[in-house]
Amino acid sequence: MRRAFAGLAALLMLAVVAQFFLAASGAFDTAPNDESFQPHRALGGGIVLIAVLVTVVAAIARMPGRVIGMSGLVAGLAVVQFVIKGIAAAFDGTGGNTTAGELVFGLHAINGLAILAVTGMIGRQARQLSRPAAATPQAP
């Protein structure tokens, strides 16, 4: 079960890295618009689901509490991404971009970096914990 956890943790890391790629692709499109970010938004929902699955598998695999907590943290931070977007959109409700909305939306990128960092820690722990224990030499 720990190997399954390690595989899911690797999938989560891959999805988070792909999310940064999709964000950059949308931002640097020749004419960035709402449609340019559709793949980024879709994968964001997928990351929430993968993070929840990673958390459940971590608990079933009896991973250390810190690893289970970090897995749940990724799910929570991924949900916060949607909240940040909603709050920024509320500031921009008049139809134009406001400075307040842009500042709030800047937190979206910072939160994304936090997700990347925590996901990296989970991946490192998953690799260490999924390795078989080294055989101890027997005394003659």
Side-chain angles (χ1 to χ4, degrees):
M1 191 53 116
R2 287 184 175 222
R3 286 192 181 198
F5 172 75
L8 284 171
L11 176 65
L12 180 61
M13 183 61 154
L14 180 66
V16 170
V17 170
Q19 187 70 325
F20 275 90
F21 173 80
L22 292 173
S25 293
F28 294 110
D29 195 347
T30 54
N33 57 27
D34 198 42
E35 189 176 302
S36 301
F37 291 97
Q38 187 57 37
H40 176 73
R41 265 192 304 282
L43 184 56
I47 287 173
V48 172
L49 295 176
I50 295 168
V52 168
L53 182 61
V54 167
T55 305
V56 169
V57 171
I60 292 171
R62 296 181 181 238
M63 299 301 275
R66 179 180 166 109
V67 174
I68 297 169
M70 286 191 302
S71 300
L73 178 62
V74 170
L77 289 173
V79 169
V80 167
Q81 290 290 73
F82 290 98
V83 173
I84 290 170
K85 183 182 182 308
I87 292 171
F91 279 110
D92 295 339
T94 58
N97 289 343
T98 64
T99 303
E102 290 172 0
L103 289 173
V104 169
F105 199 67
L107 296 173
H108 186 79
I110 293 170
N111 191 45
L113 290 173
I115 292 170
L116 181 65
V118 176
T119 302
M121 288 189 283
I122 292 168
R124 188 171 37 254
Q125 288 290 317
R127 282 190 307 275
Q128 290 174 352
L129 294 169
S130 68
R131 291 185 186 134
T136 56
Q138 298 292 329

